[in-house]
Amino acid sequence: MAIKFLPEVALNINVNELNTFMIKRILLLCLTSIAILDASAQNATIRGFVYNEETGDPITSALITFNNLKQGAYSDERGLYSVVNIAPGKYTAIVTLVGYDTAMADIELRSNQVLAKNFYLNTASNTLGTIRVSAEKIRKSKEINISKTTISPVQLTKFPSVGGEPDLVQYLQVLPGVVFSGDQGGQLYIRGGSPVMNRVMLDGLTIYNPFHSIGLFSVFDSDILKSVDVYSAGFNSEYGGRISAIVDVKTRDGNKKELAGKINASPFSSKFLLEGPLKKYEPGKGSSSFILSYKNSYLNKTSPTVYPYAADGSLPYSFSDLYGKVSINSAKGSKISFFGFDFTDDVAFEQSAAYSWKSSGLGTEFLLVPGGSKTIIDGSITYSDYEITQTELDQKPRRSGINGFNVNLNFSRFLGELDNLKYGVEMNGFSTDFEIFNSLNRRITQKENTSEVSAFVNYLKNFNKKFLLETGFRLQRYASLSETTLEPRVGMKYNINTRWRIKGSAGLYSQNLVSAVSDRDVVNLFYGFLSGPDDLPKEFLGEPVDSKLQKARHAVFGVEFDINAESEVNVEGYIKSFTQITNINRDKIFDDNKENQIRPDYLRENFIIENGEAYGFDVTYKYENKKLYVWTVYSFNIVNRFDGIRKYQPHFDRRHNMNIVTSYDFGKNNCWSSSIRWNFGSGFPFTLTQGFYEQLDFSGGASTDFLSENGDLGINYADINQGRLPFYNRLDASIKRRFKWNNSNKKERKAELIFSVTNIYNRENIFYFDRVNYKRENQLPILPSISGSYSF
């Protein structure tokens, strides 16, 4: 069955005109709409936040209702709720959530009034242990959530703690449609999209390389995470600039009541966390806090002693991650945060290449709750800098850098119990500096300044609490390429009953950023970036190339089924049509100059154009109660690419992928916890070797004595990726013991002791094959570890 998409819409507008025209017109339209709505509304609105009275932290999914009134709302991840169109009068507001005592308050609403009312909930003294209602379950029928997975800090603790500490990258690997390329230098490929097609954000700031060279660890500290939203396809108009997926990471505020911290150490790494109040929290008053986290890996120093059998006694990986944040909260709910980070990574292979990258940034996030207005304002201003260098034995420079700023401003307005209008603008500017020599010793460089301006509108409408429809569009201006795209997005969910739901989404997507490595490279730790190049081929498949952007179309359809209160099944099918992809030209052998214009484009151009598609389905089963947690995912995926000459499957085309995660808590007060994860995946494609020959570079030109000169070993390859590597499977496990006690000041103290094993049965999973030395390199062998942590 053929799937047809809406045609892409492209507009050509002068850059200087658009920067003023687009922003002014869209803001004027939105503000005019608000004024009209405000003028016509006669009913009242109550709005505010729900907090934990003891800690001051926002509470998600608390239900706010009223006596004698069939209206209500749930609090979001910020604790924010809003109930609109309430008839004037006197009411009793009731706030409930399993695990907390009920809060009540008498209120009186007047016509056109916007009443600000915050609620503070106490943890219930007698919580039913067998009942566990998660925020995700409460929101399932209230949000579309197509191809979206929300990860909470609690879920990270259910995963085997490889190296002693749970890490986000380990959990991302078990999500639907996610393929991980390897333990060393591994990257995430989400439903057929390469890493450069996925936007990873930390508190609104784009992180260009979120994973360290040893693929067991990310740059994120799991102890400071608030939530992680992963959109694997079909995301709405709020997000843009990428054509495959979004990973939105948010950090929490520091402790608002007292100074606290954590110390952790293992053979892999160590960590120090410190947090506390700058102005102590009191209910109904403003507060401020800080949080500081530092991680450091010394595996390159410990591996010769602890793991002498792994990689010939050398695991040459080291990294450090520093993150700090200051948060200021007002009594009415408005807040502002200032944060900064510095991430580094180094790896040096003996008699081979060395890689080093550094990523740093700073920014501010804010939430404004204007008194008397029904509109909420949030936004961020950020700056980041990323640079990676590769040092080869030939000492030729290989480097890539990208730095830039991002400013976004969003407006949210609640129009009904579930109806919501959100719109905003975003400005993005970055500079790229790139230099590399390809395998044929041809130099490829780029130095470019780029600016982008975008605006979006997203409207969620609820029809009779059964049918949810989300429509929107994103207008994206790529100034350096003189291109503008209009990208419509649509999503829907129909609640058949309380247990069955169907959902779907579709949209158009575009991006400017290009990877500095080819999708055909199987192993490459050099992870750099380029701005969309101007020097693309003029034709592709006989048609003129009139756009420099990478573009894609998404369509997703899914079914949700709640088996009972503790278990659920989610099935989704998807297709991503990559209508235009820009790739590094690995076949270039001639300089692109006047003398070589007679040569074919694909032999002299720096970049090539491809198209392709990714399609498949995922089946997810989840079971959760107070003691047992089970997460099972099976993914079927096919990825095809066509470069105008050949059709091939990229190296991350894993057809079958299965993950099973199980965690069980036991013992007195559940002080013991055991976790296992098993991963099975079919083999990746690879290019077969047909033979070897002596390769002469003819550096002496016509005078080269090819009869006596010794050349290098050349390899004659078969067609790209026609072979398949062996199947992959691995079992990881960990067991944890928790300790709690009170010190002399009756302050609670905690400690944890974790024993973990990676690759328990020492499976020899292939990493790559060294053709020249005819040597097979495997992924990491069995790696036992013991770690300890102390929290105060």
Side-chain angles (χ1 to χ4, degrees), residues 43-55:
N43 290 331
T45 296
I46 179 172
R47 182 188 64 201
F49 294 81
V50 183
Y51 296 109
N52 184 311
E53 186 167 18
E54 181 181 356
T55 65

PDB file of all heavy atoms in Angstrom, residues 43-55:
ATOM      1  N   ASN A  43     -16.603  34.439  31.804  1.00  0.00           N
ATOM      2  CA  ASN A  43     -16.416  33.558  32.942  1.00  0.00           C
ATOM      3  C   ASN A  43     -15.040  33.758  33.561  1.00  0.00           C
ATOM      4  O   ASN A  43     -14.178  34.429  33.002  1.00  0.00           O
ATOM      5  CB  ASN A  43     -16.602  32.102  32.511  1.00  0.00           C
ATOM      6  CG  ASN A  43     -18.055  31.806  32.170  1.00  0.00           C
ATOM      7  OD1 ASN A  43     -18.970  32.431  32.722  1.00  0.00           O
ATOM      8  ND2 ASN A  43     -18.276  30.877  31.266  1.00  0.00           N
ATOM      9  N   ALA A  44     -14.841  33.140  34.712  1.00  0.00           N
ATOM     10  CA  ALA A  44     -13.614  33.326  35.475  1.00  0.00           C
ATOM     11  C   ALA A  44     -12.629  32.189  35.200  1.00  0.00           C
ATOM     12  O   ALA A  44     -12.980  31.138  34.642  1.00  0.00           O
ATOM     13  CB  ALA A  44     -13.932  33.402  36.964  1.00  0.00           C
ATOM     14  N   THR A  45     -11.386  32.401  35.625  1.00  0.00           N
ATOM     15  CA  THR A  45     -10.309  31.413  35.497  1.00  0.00           C
ATOM     16  C   THR A  45      -9.591  31.301  36.833  1.00  0.00           C
ATOM     17  O   THR A  45      -9.325  32.318  37.493  1.00  0.00           O
ATOM     18  CB  THR A  45      -9.303  31.835  34.413  1.00  0.00           C
ATOM     19  OG1 THR A  45      -9.949  31.846  33.143  1.00  0.00           O
ATOM     20  CG2 THR A  45      -8.118  30.878  34.366  1.00  0.00           C
ATOM     21  N   ILE A  46      -9.291  30.073  37.235  1.00  0.00           N
ATOM     22  CA  ILE A  46      -8.432  29.853  38.397  1.00  0.00           C
ATOM     23  C   ILE A  46      -7.185  29.133  37.922  1.00  0.00           C
ATOM     24  O   ILE A  46      -7.261  28.174  37.136  1.00  0.00           O
ATOM     25  CB  ILE A  46      -9.153  29.053  39.520  1.00  0.00           C
ATOM     26  CG1 ILE A  46      -8.191  28.840  40.693  1.00  0.00           C
ATOM     27  CG2 ILE A  46      -9.717  27.743  39.007  1.00  0.00           C
ATOM     28  CD1 ILE A  46      -8.840  28.236  41.917  1.00  0.00           C
ATOM     29  N   ARG A  47      -6.048  29.624  38.369  1.00  0.00           N
ATOM     30  CA  ARG A  47      -4.774  29.111  37.872  1.00  0.00           C
ATOM     31  C   ARG A  47      -3.752  29.154  38.998  1.00  0.00           C
ATOM     32  O   ARG A  47      -3.820  30.016  39.879  1.00  0.00           O
ATOM     33  CB  ARG A  47      -4.298  29.988  36.712  1.00  0.00           C
ATOM     34  CG  ARG A  47      -3.006  29.546  36.067  1.00  0.00           C
ATOM     35  CD  ARG A  47      -2.538  30.587  35.079  1.00  0.00           C
ATOM     36  NE  ARG A  47      -2.222  31.845  35.743  1.00  0.00           N
ATOM     37  CZ  ARG A  47      -2.172  33.019  35.123  1.00  0.00           C
ATOM     38  NH1 ARG A  47      -2.468  33.109  33.842  1.00  0.00           N
ATOM     39  NH2 ARG A  47      -1.851  34.114  35.790  1.00  0.00           N
ATOM     40  N   GLY A  48      -2.829  28.216  38.962  1.00  0.00           N
ATOM     41  CA  GLY A  48      -1.792  28.213  39.982  1.00  0.00           C
ATOM     42  C   GLY A  48      -0.898  26.998  39.863  1.00  0.00           C
ATOM     43  O   GLY A  48      -0.818  26.354  38.812  1.00  0.00           O
ATOM     44  N   PHE A  49      -0.243  26.660  40.967  1.00  0.00           N
ATOM     45  CA  PHE A  49       0.711  25.564  41.003  1.00  0.00           C
ATOM     46  C   PHE A  49       0.398  24.646  42.178  1.00  0.00           C
ATOM     47  O   PHE A  49      -0.159  25.082  43.197  1.00  0.00           O
ATOM     48  CB  PHE A  49       2.143  26.094  41.135  1.00  0.00           C
ATOM     49  CG  PHE A  49       2.611  26.873  39.943  1.00  0.00           C
ATOM     50  CD1 PHE A  49       2.256  28.204  39.777  1.00  0.00           C
ATOM     51  CD2 PHE A  49       3.389  26.273  38.974  1.00  0.00           C
ATOM     52  CE1 PHE A  49       2.683  28.932  38.681  1.00  0.00           C
ATOM     53  CE2 PHE A  49       3.818  26.991  37.870  1.00  0.00           C
ATOM     54  CZ  PHE A  49       3.464  28.327  37.723  1.00  0.00           C
ATOM     55  N   VAL A  50       0.789  23.388  42.022  1.00  0.00           N
ATOM     56  CA  VAL A  50       0.658  22.411  43.103  1.00  0.00           C
ATOM     57  C   VAL A  50       2.064  21.989  43.517  1.00  0.00           C
ATOM     58  O   VAL A  50       2.859  21.542  42.673  1.00  0.00           O
ATOM     59  CB  VAL A  50      -0.165  21.186  42.662  1.00  0.00           C
ATOM     60  CG1 VAL A  50      -0.336  20.219  43.831  1.00  0.00           C
ATOM     61  CG2 VAL A  50      -1.522  21.608  42.122  1.00  0.00           C
ATOM     62  N   TYR A  51       2.361  22.151  44.821  1.00  0.00           N
ATOM     63  CA  TYR A  51       3.698  21.872  45.329  1.00  0.00           C
ATOM     64  C   TYR A  51       3.654  20.835  46.441  1.00  0.00           C
ATOM     65  O   TYR A  51       2.641  20.654  47.120  1.00  0.00           O
ATOM     66  CB  TYR A  51       4.340  23.141  45.898  1.00  0.00           C
ATOM     67  CG  TYR A  51       4.580  24.243  44.898  1.00  0.00           C
ATOM     68  CD1 TYR A  51       3.799  25.408  44.931  1.00  0.00           C
ATOM     69  CD2 TYR A  51       5.576  24.143  43.947  1.00  0.00           C
ATOM     70  CE1 TYR A  51       4.025  26.433  44.032  1.00  0.00           C
ATOM     71  CE2 TYR A  51       5.803  25.161  43.035  1.00  0.00           C
ATOM     72  CZ  TYR A  51       5.022  26.306  43.078  1.00  0.00           C
ATOM     73  OH  TYR A  51       5.249  27.317  42.174  1.00  0.00           O
ATOM     74  N   ASN A  52       4.790  20.163  46.620  1.00  0.00           N
ATOM     75  CA  ASN A  52       4.996  19.331  47.798  1.00  0.00           C
ATOM     76  C   ASN A  52       5.286  20.272  48.968  1.00  0.00           C
ATOM     77  O   ASN A  52       6.246  21.046  48.929  1.00  0.00           O
ATOM     78  CB  ASN A  52       6.168  18.378  47.557  1.00  0.00           C
ATOM     79  CG  ASN A  52       6.376  17.410  48.700  1.00  0.00           C
ATOM     80  OD1 ASN A  52       6.430  17.797  49.864  1.00  0.00           O
ATOM     81  ND2 ASN A  52       6.522  16.141  48.368  1.00  0.00           N
ATOM     82  N   GLU A  53       4.442  20.222  49.995  1.00  0.00           N
ATOM     83  CA  GLU A  53       4.575  21.180  51.093  1.00  0.00           C
ATOM     84  C   GLU A  53       5.893  21.027  51.836  1.00  0.00           C
ATOM     85  O   GLU A  53       6.456  22.000  52.348  1.00  0.00           O
ATOM     86  CB  GLU A  53       3.408  21.029  52.069  1.00  0.00           C
ATOM     87  CG  GLU A  53       3.417  22.091  53.166  1.00  0.00           C
ATOM     88  CD  GLU A  53       2.129  22.159  53.940  1.00  0.00           C
ATOM     89  OE1 GLU A  53       1.341  21.191  53.883  1.00  0.00           O
ATOM     90  OE2 GLU A  53       1.887  23.183  54.597  1.00  0.00           O
ATOM     91  N   GLU A  54       6.428  19.810  51.880  1.00  0.00           N
ATOM     92  CA  GLU A  54       7.655  19.582  52.638  1.00  0.00           C
ATOM     93  C   GLU A  54       8.886  20.074  51.897  1.00  0.00           C
ATOM     94  O   GLU A  54       9.776  20.696  52.483  1.00  0.00           O
ATOM     95  CB  GLU A  54       7.798  18.087  52.952  1.00  0.00           C
ATOM     96  CG  GLU A  54       9.051  17.759  53.758  1.00  0.00           C
ATOM     97  CD  GLU A  54       9.182  16.273  54.024  1.00  0.00           C
ATOM     98  OE1 GLU A  54       8.261  15.507  53.657  1.00  0.00           O
ATOM     99  OE2 GLU A  54      10.211  15.873  54.594  1.00  0.00           O
ATOM    100  N   THR A  55       8.960  19.826  50.576  1.00  0.00           N
ATOM    101  CA  THR A  55      10.178  20.126  49.819  1.00  0.00           C
ATOM    102  C   THR A  55      10.054  21.356  48.923  1.00  0.00           C
ATOM    103  O   THR A  55      11.065  21.916  48.507  1.00  0.00           O
ATOM    104  CB  THR A  55      10.557  18.927  48.940  1.00  0.00           C
ATOM    105  OG1 THR A  55       9.532  18.715  47.948  1.00  0.00           O
ATOM    106  CG2 THR A  55      10.729  17.674  49.780  1.00  0.00           C
TER     107      THR A  55
END
